[in-house]
Amino acid sequence: MQIKNSTALKERVLDLWKTYLLSVSAQDMLLGEVSDHLYVGDVDFRSLAARGEKAPVSSYVDIGFSDDIGEMAYELAQGGEEMRPYSELSLFMKEEEIGDALYDYLSSHITMHKASDILDNPYYRQVKVSGKTREGHITLTVNDYLPGELIQTWHEGFQKEDPFAYGKAAFFDSRVVFPVLLENGGVWMSVVLSEIESMKEPLEKAKGKVITYGLGLGYYTFMASEKEDVESVTVVELNPHMIALFKKELLPQFPHKEKVHIVEGNALTYIMAQEDAAFDYGFSDFWGGLSDGLPLYLSFAKGCARFRHTIHDYWIENTFIDYYFRPAVMIFLMEKVLGRKERPLDQGKKASGILRKFISFLEKEPFTLEKEEDIYHLLDTKTLVRVVRKFAACCL
């Protein structure tokens, strides 16, 4: 990579670093409360619904986050070395200013949804789950969200004005009941708002002969099979209990069940034997989320690199880019442009090792960084997806 350093380039990188530190601090609070199932029941849902407000809901932040914001602002302002690199915000902002910025960030990343936003989905209208059904260590049942309970929603990817967001959140104005799969008593997957939103683009691209890796509750399989331009949907699933449960309880409710073909097998083994052009479109979805998905995603991307005719996409690929690789680019830029070695997010030993290799890989990529537009081009999701897939194919 060729870097033509200048005062303007250095100023832009430093400004992005400040934005990055604030974004990560705010999102740590946000997703922490999602994990803790924050419940704010005294929001005026009727008034918000009457105004048709799906825009940021600051009143929710006032009630649910005021103490957290104060504590975080104090820690960032006073934390010193123990809170590095995030305490570097105190070099740019006073404690009160940090608190105000955190408040504004949270207010712009939380929205209210009507229950109909999820319940009007074709899958919900057609597929019904009641009680509990068990096959081996897999249980099919339902769960619910209360009105005002904070949930994670899908972040669609890079925006220049909000470059480091990797999580957004929302709450419903009324109770929502949704199907869920439990594995050994713990939630494996559920058809919730983030699931529906994150699969919108892969479903739009599905056509002809489709293959998907990972069965779950069959949301992707159902929605793809509903499309007129989809001829068939082949599903590769490793767990025989999942397959048995799906065939018994869910598949009979699919209007186009004749399109669905299920293969019991290991996705990584299957992809290595799969012939290019055997399918028109492929979609991988056999990891639980960020914590277990990174090595599986990269391994599968490496296996798909030889395809020239089968288009292949990956569940939450944008989120892997947002959470792992765009921060790695910032670490790279801080060192190469400003000469500062910075510590990335604590993302676990395995992920950190992968990202160190990725940063080294970036140095050899044929980019030129000379002006602001060059930086944003490198940070853009489309650019990073291409670079990350190349990295997976050649370096892992």
Side-chain angles (χ1 to χ4, degrees):
M1 186 176 295
Q2 185 178 7
I3 300 176
K4 298 182 179 180
N5 235 329
S6 66
T7 300
L9 197 69
K10 290 179 179 179
E11 289 177 350
R12 174 51 56 200
V13 170
L14 189 60
D15 188 57
L16 283 168
W17 181 245
K18 180 179 70 173
T19 302
Y20 168 71
L21 296 176
L22 181 67
S23 296
V24 173
S25 301
Q27 286 171 115
D28 182 64
M29 278 195 295
L30 184 64
L31 298 185
E33 293 294 1
V34 169
S35 297
D36 292 340
H37 301 282
L38 174 67
Y39 169 66
V40 178
D42 45 354
V43 174
D44 189 349
F45 301 108
R46 182 173 297 179
S47 175
L48 292 176
R51 297 204 308 268
E53 185 170 352
K54 196 175 175 180
V57 183
S58 58
S59 59
Y60 192 95
V61 180
D62 292 331
I63 300 169
F65 285 89
S66 57
D67 291 340
D68 291 339
I69 289 172
E71 291 175 9
M72 178 66 79
Y74 176 81
E75 290 177 1
L76 292 172
Q78 307 296 330
E81 286 297 317
E82 291 185 4
M83 286 290 291
R84 277 182 58 87
Y86 309 107
S87 58
E88 289 180 21
L89 277 172
S90 63
L91 301 175
F92 308 102
M93 311 164 73
K94 296 178 180 179
E95 182 178 333
E96 183 178 348
E97 292 173 322
I98 294 174
D100 290 342
L102 291 171
Y103 178 90
D104 291 342
Y105 192 96
L106 293 172
S107 296
S108 65
H109 288 72
I110 298 175
T111 54
M112 186 184 77
H113 286 267
K114 296 179 181 179
S116 58
D117 290 343
I118 185 170
L119 298 180
D120 283 349
N121 180 275
Y123 182 94
Y124 272 85
R125 293 199 301 266
Q126 184 66 36
V127 178
K128 306 299 180 184
V129 175
S130 60
K132 288 186 177 181
T133 307
R134 184 171 180 175
E135 288 284 347
H137 59 285
I138 304 296
T139 301
L140 173 66
T141 185
V142 295
N143 206 338
D144 68 349
Y145 288 129
L146 298 175
E149 182 177 351
L150 196 66
I151 63 171
Q152 186 171 358
T153 56
W154 175 241
H155 176 250
E156 294 183 354
F158 180 78
Q159 296 175 339
K160 188 174 180 179
E161 63 276 12
D162 187 19
F164 301 110
Y166 54 81
K168 291 187 176 182
F171 57 92
F172 287 108
D173 63 352
S174 56
R175 181 171 176 258
V176 172
V177 178
F178 54 89
V180 62
L181 279 176
L182 307 178
E183 185 175 34
N184 295 320
V187 174
W188 167 243
M189 76 155 299
S190 50
V191 179
V192 290
L193 190 62
S194 59
E195 186 87 357
I196 291 171
E197 292 174 335
S198 64
M199 292 192 185
K200 182 179 179 181
E201 185 176 347
L203 283 167
E204 289 174 350
K205 294 167 73 172
K207 65 177 182 178
K209 294 180 180 179
V210 174
I211 186 166
T212 181
Y213 302 84
L215 178 58
L217 285 158
Y219 176 76
Y220 185 85
T221 303
F222 174 91
M223 295 296 287
S225 68
E226 286 286 281
K227 296 184 65 177
E228 291 185 3
D229 57 351
V230 169
E231 177 184 337
S232 64
V233 183
T234 298
V235 186
V236 180
E237 170 58 50
L238 179 63
N239 194 315
H241 301 301
M242 195 87 75
I243 294 173
L245 193 60
F246 176 78
K247 286 183 174 179
K248 177 183 176 183
E249 298 293 331
L250 301 176
L251 185 59
Q253 302 184 59
F254 283 31
H256 299 286
K257 60 182 74 64
E258 73 283 354
K259 292 185 180 182
V260 179
H261 311 284
I262 301 175
V263 177
E264 182 181 336
N266 182 290
L268 291 169
T269 302
Y270 195 95
I271 195 66
M272 298 312 297
Q274 183 178 313
E275 295 181 6
D276 191 13
F279 299 93
D280 299 293
Y281 184 75
F283 178 63
S284 301
D285 177 19
F286 57 92
W287 41 83
L290 278 171
S291 59
D292 69 326
L294 180 63
L296 292 173
Y297 154 63
L298 292 172
S299 296
F300 218 74
K302 182 175 183 177
C304 294
R306 60 191 173 85
F307 291 156
R308 295 295 176 267
H309 301 286
T310 300
I311 298 171
H312 204 100
D313 287 315
Y314 311 86
W315 182 58
I316 65 170
E317 183 174 36
N318 280 9
T319 307
F320 291 131
I321 298 299
D322 294 341
Y323 187 74
Y324 292 110
F325 295 102
R326 193 170 292 114
V329 171
M330 277 309 305
I331 300 300
F332 172 83
L333 291 173
M334 288 296 288
E335 180 177 353
K336 300 303 178 182
V337 176
L338 295 180
R340 291 171 48 180
K341 281 187 171 292
E342 295 290 349
R343 195 171 56 202
L345 283 169
D346 182 12
Q347 297 157 319
K349 185 176 180 180
K350 191 165 188 176
S352 296
I354 291 172
L355 295 178
R356 282 195 296 271
K357 290 182 180 179
F358 177 72
I359 290 172
S360 296
F361 174 78
L362 276 179
E363 295 183 16
K364 305 170 187 177
E365 281 297 278
F367 289 99
T368 298
L369 296 183
E370 184 176 8
K371 50 189 182 296
E372 178 178 323
E373 290 76 14
D374 298 331
I375 295 176
Y376 284 113
H377 174 69
L378 180 59
L379 292 171
D380 186 84
T381 299
K382 290 181 180 179
T383 302
L384 282 178
V385 164
R386 186 174 67 252
V387 173
V388 169
R389 291 187 184 186
K390 182 180 176 181
F391 164 70
C394 74
C395 301
L396 295 178

